[in-house]
Amino acid sequence: MGASSSFPSFVAAVIGTCLVSSTVASAQTSSKVDFGREIRPLLAENCFVCHGLDAESRQADLRLDDRESAIASGVLVPGKPDKSALVERVFATDPDVRMPPPESHKSLDAGQKELLRRWIAEGAEYTGHWAWSAPVRPRLPEVNPVNQVNWVRHPIDYFVLAELKKRNLEPAEEASLEALIRRAALDLTGLPPSPEELARTLADPSSDRYEQFVDRMLASPRWGEHRGRYWLDYARYADTHGIHFDNYREIWAYRDWVIKAFNRNLPFDQFTREQLAGDLLPEPDLDQLVATGFNRCNITTNEGGVIEEEYRVLYTRDRTETVSTVWLGLTTGCAVCHDHKYDPVSQREFYQLAAFFNHTTQAVMDGNVRDTPPVVPVPRDGDRARWNALAIDLAAAETALAPLRESGRSRLEEWLANTTNVESFVSTPPGNLGDSRWHIPLDDGGKSGLAVVENGNCRRVPSPADNEWQPGWTGGESWVVRKQNLPALPAAGDFERDQPFTVSAWVRPDNDNHFGAIVARMDDPGSYRGWDFWLNSNRAGIHIIHHWPENGLKVIARDRLPAGVWSHVAVSYDGSSRAAGVQVFVNGQPVPVEVENDTLSETIRTAVPLKLGSRNQSSDVDGAALNDLRLYERELEAGEVAELASWSRLSSLVLRRERLDDPSRDEMLSRWLERQDQPYREAAAGLAAIRAEQTSLAARGTRAHITQEQPGEPSAFVLYRGEYTQRREQVGPATPGFLHAWPEDSPRNRLGLSDWLMDESNPLTARVTVNRFWQ
């Protein structure tokens, strides 16, 4: 195949480095025995198991993998094969003396034995493994192609022809153009050429029509798809978590990044750097973050019995072994439990390498969700320009909003001085929380009757005795339950069992053992039909009853409310007639409950009135203080309950003119700005519009699993026998000592590791990568 100007640069760069490095040995013309090609493989196959690097399996305390040790033991006498014990034992006829021993089921043929003798006679020189040395460009072999003058078109052809001549073979006839086109299309795109493409190339009169065809194949999107699938195999890419439920994992944005990287000829060093450490680049863009999905392709779990530390170790090990295999072609995983038996990688060096990948923010448990953090939204390609513009607009809008907030503090103080404004403002919660069917503030002193807001309209319910609720009030801050003159509302709270509702109030028990109703619409003499919001030894709960105990629900919080402290308590019911449809909230948060009855199947309607502080005739909470009672004819969501608790607490503080602490004052400022201050509201609306558009664009796209580094210095522990519980020495990030040095000024993190992998002194990355493309 002729050279192509559009051949992807990250492939071309690698091939330019070491395309012929694997043929160095074949170009050697010397007759001297080559240790790396001829002797080391022979010893490794037949001798190193018993006489190699592994001290535990070593026999007779003899090493043949180390020249000095072999000479010191007398096994090798350089230049004197007849005095070398190795030759004596290899050529021995006595099976009790001969090496390798018969029980090893290994043997040397006459040629191999003679090769060992020649090697020792020549000085028994050892050389390092050829793979550990940087590739060098060899001389072209001397060939004299008599009938192949036109066959040699590329330097590689010299090596091929030399090998053919050595084997007394002749080059085959050149394949037809149709066959070459089909082969190239399958190699480059994984697909046969289309009939139109084949006809176009065959009809082209140009002398370089084949090269032009290759250029078109390399420019096809199919090139990236075909080559990308091989890389995704190396990256262990999958669309699921891998174990346990094996749920869907939304990581295909990384797959698309790989395909696009091939199609846009991304240089291989950049291809490497962005996958291993795109998040550590200065101001990484979205694509560079997506590229780090390479590190997120490991198998993950959410199984309940998992020991997190064990799987954290497994995740780090997976990434270490993957990078070692993909870029170095090394089985460093053999050093998880002990020093590598065949390569010069110690166990300590494995965990130094693992330290690079032991410092990410990814949690062990994947949650069995498609978007396990950290993730980022990835808009569609067509939305990318607008997405980037919105990011600029968002920053500008946020910048404009900040001074409006600060200047709003003085305007808030002026506003708080106006009693009418404050009462009007705090009477209505934000959002849909103002739609309570009944609201009884219980904080106005009770003069001239009980204040009741029903469907937004305020009215007074007079006292049945003296038109005032004096016995129960304490200084206007709340209402304290007393046994006399308990308020009753005939029309309020008339719920049916299939009707969702929510009841909430601030409650302050005056002792640790209150037992009775906070509010109820319950006919206690009539089999307790109805419902009540009650305390049982200060545990908040609810009854929803047709006939007790055969037909009703009883759900109660597991923990007590503290005495002498205000707590916001809410109970929501979804109308399902099941205890599972009941939730209890304290201070805006759902709390654990106990279900003591779950048998409701008939009506709960009753003619008795709603009563505060008691059931209809009994079970009061005498001495408990109440405030801000609300009844909703719907089930509030958890977020709404949290908002209601926060709002009603703040409203109560403001109305009582109590001093706001700093957090409460900041909260008040936020709420006032959002609902009352026109300049801030307009700016905030613009900001909200930008965020809404961002959300819309994100919803049309996907999300990408990315890598993030924790703050601080990465490290790992050497694990005895690889066991996660057996920590030994703590080590920092480093690379195996037998390879090239760490690049100067490179940080000791994943970004520095990518620099080390792509360093020109690295003898492995180029070889490994080119071999994969040749394969």
Side-chain angles (χ1 to χ4, degrees):
M1 182 177 74
S4 171
S5 60
S6 65
F7 196 79
S9 58
F10 78 83
V11 178
V14 173
I15 291 181
T17 301
C18 66
L19 185 59
V20 295
S21 63
S22 298
T23 63
V24 173
S26 66
Q28 303 296 328
T29 58
S30 171
S31 60
K32 187 175 180 179
V33 176
D34 186 306
F35 177 81
R37 276 179 55 84
E38 300 172 286
I39 301 301
R40 183 189 295 276
L42 191 153
L43 297 177
E45 172 67 22
N46 298 280
C47 307
F48 285 174
V49 171
C50 297
H51 305 296
L53 180 69
D54 185 15
E56 293 188 9
S57 62
R58 191 179 301 142
Q59 302 294 314
D61 196 27
L62 171 62
R63 292 187 64 174
L64 288 176
D65 63 311
D66 180 74
R67 186 174 189 265
E68 287 71 20
S69 297
I71 292 174
S73 64
V75 173
L76 290 182
V77 180
K80 299 178 180 180
D82 294 339
K83 295 185 178 296
S84 298
L86 177 63
V87 172
E88 177 186 349
R89 299 294 291 271
V90 163
F91 280 87
T93 57
D94 184 349
D96 293 332
V97 177
R98 187 175 66 240
M99 288 290 165
E103 60 269 20
S104 71
H105 304 291
K106 299 179 182 295
S107 62
L108 299 174
D109 60 31
Q112 291 172 322
K113 295 176 183 179
E114 188 57 39
L115 192 64
L116 286 171
R117 185 199 296 275
R118 283 180 51 205
W119 169 63
I120 296 173
E122 292 172 358
E125 293 294 335
Y126 279 62
T127 59
H129 195 288
W130 60 266
W132 311 149
S133 302
V136 294
R137 184 178 296 277
R139 298 188 306 273
L140 295 180
E142 296 180 4
V143 295
N144 186 21
V146 178
N147 298 318
Q148 291 87 30
V149 175
N150 296 324
W151 191 89
V152 177
R153 304 177 187 176
H154 189 280
I156 295 177
D157 295 341
Y158 284 93
F159 295 93
V160 175
L161 188 58
E163 192 66 23
L164 291 175
K165 291 295 185 181
K166 186 186 297 184
R167 299 168 185 262
N168 294 318
L169 297 174
E170 294 293 330
E173 293 293 327
E174 182 172 312
S176 67
L177 183 58
E178 292 91 337
L180 291 175
I181 289 172
R182 177 178 174 81
R183 291 175 189 170
L186 289 171
D187 278 343
L188 298 176
T189 68
L191 300 169
S194 67
E196 296 77 14
E197 184 59 62
L198 179 62
R200 173 186 176 180
T201 305
L202 293 177
D204 187 348
S206 304
S207 60
D208 62 346
R209 59 182 177 176
Y210 176 71
E211 285 77 4
Q212 291 186 42
F213 164 76
V214 169
D215 287 344
R216 291 193 295 273
M217 292 297 98
L218 292 171
S220 165
R222 307 290 87 79
W223 153 262
E225 293 170 1
H226 181 50
R227 301 313 310 181
R229 70 189 181 92
Y230 292 103
W231 186 265
L232 292 172
D233 282 345
Y234 313 148
R236 72 266 193 249
Y237 172 84
D239 291 313
T240 64
H241 295 306
I243 51 178
H244 196 32
F245 293 136
D246 199 22
N247 279 354
Y248 172 57
R249 172 189 286 168
E250 189 176 16
I251 198 171
W252 54 266
Y254 167 69
R255 176 202 65 194
D256 284 3
W257 181 89
V258 170
I259 294 170
K260 291 174 183 176
F262 277 86
N263 282 330
R264 63 191 173 106
N265 296 349
L266 190 66
F268 189 68
D269 57 350
Q270 190 175 342
F271 183 73
T272 295
R273 188 169 291 111
E274 293 185 5
Q275 288 184 91
L276 292 185
D279 58 305
L280 300 179
L281 293 169
E283 299 183 4
D285 60 28
L286 180 58
D287 286 328
Q288 289 168 333
L289 293 177
V290 171
T292 64
F294 177 92
N295 302 310
R296 296 292 304 279
C297 287
N298 58 295
I299 288 175
T300 61
T301 186
N302 199 60
E303 187 175 358
V306 160
I307 300 172
E308 291 203 11
E309 181 59 25
E310 178 181 15
Y311 274 77
R312 185 175 290 106
V313 167
L314 291 176
Y315 293 175
T316 299
R317 182 180 302 172
D318 167 87
R319 295 188 178 106
T320 307
E321 293 175 350
T322 299
V323 170
S324 300
T325 301
V326 171
W327 275 274
L328 300 175
L330 289 177
T331 56
T332 58
C334 295
V336 166
C337 306
H338 48 70
D339 290 349
H340 202 299
K341 295 181 183 297
Y342 300 103
D343 288 335
V345 180
S346 68
Q347 186 187 22
R348 186 176 190 273
E349 286 176 325
F350 175 85
Y351 287 102
Q352 287 177 315
L353 195 58
F356 289 106
F357 306 99
N358 197 39
H359 208 57
T360 69
T361 62
Q362 180 189 356
V364 170
M365 307 299 272
D366 58 39
N368 283 326
V369 295
R370 67 178 187 173
D371 298 329
T372 307
V375 295
V376 293
V378 182
R380 293 177 178 177
D381 288 345
D383 293 334
R384 185 69 70 89
R386 181 57 183 160
W387 177 267
N388 294 336
L390 284 174
I392 298 173
D393 294 345
L394 180 66
E398 290 175 337
T399 300
L401 201 62
L404 289 174
R405 177 180 177 87
E406 288 305 310
S407 63
R409 294 183 184 276
S410 59
R411 297 194 299 276
L412 172 62
E413 296 302 326
E414 296 175 5
W415 178 87
L416 283 172
N418 188 320
T419 304
T420 303
N421 283 346
V422 174
E423 289 182 346
S424 173
F425 180 72
V426 301
S427 64
T428 306
N432 294 324
L433 294 175
D435 65 355
S436 55
R437 180 70 167 81
W438 296 276
H439 175 213
I440 307 173
L442 295 173
D443 57 10
D444 66 351
K447 305 299 183 182
S448 302
L450 182 69
V452 178
V453 181
E454 183 175 359
N455 284 341
N457 298 312
C458 185
R459 62 187 178 88
R460 293 281 175 172
V461 178
S463 164
D466 55 7
N467 205 36
E468 291 185 350
W469 301 104
Q470 291 282 10
W473 298 96
T474 59
E477 73 168 34
S478 61
W479 178 67
V480 178
V481 178
R482 299 302 181 200
K483 292 184 178 181
Q484 65 269 38
N485 294 339
L486 295 174
L489 303 173
D494 187 15
F495 301 126
E496 182 53 285
R497 71 177 179 90
D498 60 356
Q499 179 181 356
F501 67 89
T502 302
V503 56
S504 71
W506 283 93
V507 181
R508 186 181 65 188
D510 67 342
N511 62 63
D512 290 327
N513 202 37
H514 276 292
F515 184 97
I518 298 169
V519 61
R521 188 181 179 104
M522 179 174 284
D523 185 2
D524 31 356
S527 303
Y528 296 96
R529 181 172 298 181
W531 65 271
D532 71 354
F533 176 30
W534 73 309
L535 295 180
N536 181 349
S537 298
N538 282 19
R539 296 189 299 153
I542 194 168
H543 292 97
I544 306 176
I545 297 171
H546 169 73
H547 187 285
W548 189 257
E550 296 86 359
N551 196 325
L553 306 180
K554 181 181 179 182
V555 180
I556 191 165
R558 186 186 63 192
D559 300 322
R560 296 185 179 196
L561 301 178
V565 176
W566 283 106
S567 299
H568 186 267
V569 186
V571 178
S572 66
Y573 170 61
D574 66 0
S576 63
S577 301
R578 294 289 178 265
V582 174
Q583 286 194 86
V584 179
F585 300 83
V586 175
N587 294 325
Q589 300 300 315
V591 297
V593 298
E594 296 175 359
V595 176
E596 299 184 11
N597 218 67
D598 192 7
T599 57
L600 181 61
S601 61
E602 298 183 60
T603 183
I604 65 169
R605 301 293 283 273
T606 178
V608 301
L610 181 102
K611 209 161 191 178
L612 275 66
S614 175
R615 293 175 184 148
N616 188 34
Q617 296 184 7
S618 66
S619 188
D620 60 77
V621 284
D622 185 59
L626 305 181
N627 201 329
D628 198 40
L629 174 65
R630 296 175 184 267
L631 280 76
Y632 293 83
E633 290 184 324
R634 64 186 181 89
E635 178 193 17
L636 294 189
E637 297 178 357
E640 292 181 302
V641 175
E643 175 77 358
L644 179 62
S646 172
W647 175 258
S648 60
R649 172 188 58 78
L650 194 63
S651 300
S652 179
L653 291 173
V654 171
L655 285 173
R656 295 174 199 155
R657 297 296 189 270
E658 293 187 15
R659 179 184 178 277
L660 298 178
D661 57 19
D662 289 341
S664 297
R665 185 166 290 276
D666 286 344
E667 182 182 354
M668 184 67 196
L669 175 64
S670 297
R671 294 180 183 277
W672 180 79
L673 288 171
E674 292 167 0
R675 298 183 61 192
Q676 200 78 12
D677 190 65
Q678 193 61 28
Y680 185 90
R681 283 165 56 86
E682 291 176 359
L687 179 61
I690 295 172
R691 287 173 173 162
E693 188 175 358
Q694 282 184 321
T695 300
S696 176
L697 294 183
R700 292 208 298 260
T702 183
R703 298 179 76 81
H705 293 226
I706 66 169
T707 306
Q708 287 179 338
E709 192 79 350
Q710 297 180 30
E713 296 296 324
S715 66
F717 288 93
V718 177
L719 301 179
Y720 178 66
R721 295 191 175 183
E723 292 291 338
Y724 72 95
T725 58
Q726 300 294 315
R727 288 182 172 184
R728 295 298 187 263
E729 178 188 5
Q730 186 173 11
V731 295
T735 49
F738 74 96
L739 289 171
H740 57 294
W742 187 261
E744 292 185 9
D745 302 325
S746 288
R748 287 280 176 172
N749 56 20
R750 286 179 282 112
L751 187 59
L753 179 64
S754 66
D755 293 337
W756 179 83
L757 289 170
M758 300 311 302
D759 193 284
E760 291 184 359
S761 301
N762 185 348
L764 292 177
T765 297
R767 284 192 174 102
V768 170
T769 305
V770 168
N771 282 340
R772 287 207 178 95
F773 277 95
W774 283 351
Q775 182 184 22

